[in-house]
Amino acid sequence: MSAGNQADSLGEKLVLFQEKFHVTDAAISLASHLSVEKVHGIKVNKYLPDDEEKKLLLEFVNNYTEK
């Protein structure tokens, strides 16, 4: 992973987001309507999300407020 707060990939953004807010793959999955397997695959660079999936995940991460 890159140093600092700037993530190079969507997977890296998800990992940094999860570390910061203590959000699980399951919570991201529920909010984005993507499977847990897809969320995990994106994080470990084994699944390449399509444009709609990227949009859903980025909207979730960028608009997240702690509950």
Side-chain angles (χ1 to χ4, degrees), residues 10-56:
L10 179 58
E12 221 174 307
K13 284 182 194 234
L14 289 173
V15 170
L16 293 172
F17 170 78
Q18 287 182 294
E19 289 173 353
K20 182 176 180 181
F21 293 107
H22 307 285
V23 176
T24 64
D25 286 357
I28 293 173
S29 175
L30 285 171
S32 66
H33 302 285
L34 297 177
S35 71
V36 174
E37 292 80 6
K38 283 185 177 182
V39 172
H40 183 72
I42 293 166
K43 287 173 38 186
V44 296
N45 292 319
K46 291 196 176 202
Y47 177 75
L48 185 62
D50 63 28
D51 289 338
E52 184 63 27
E53 292 168 332
K54 284 181 194 174
K55 180 181 172 194
L56 288 169

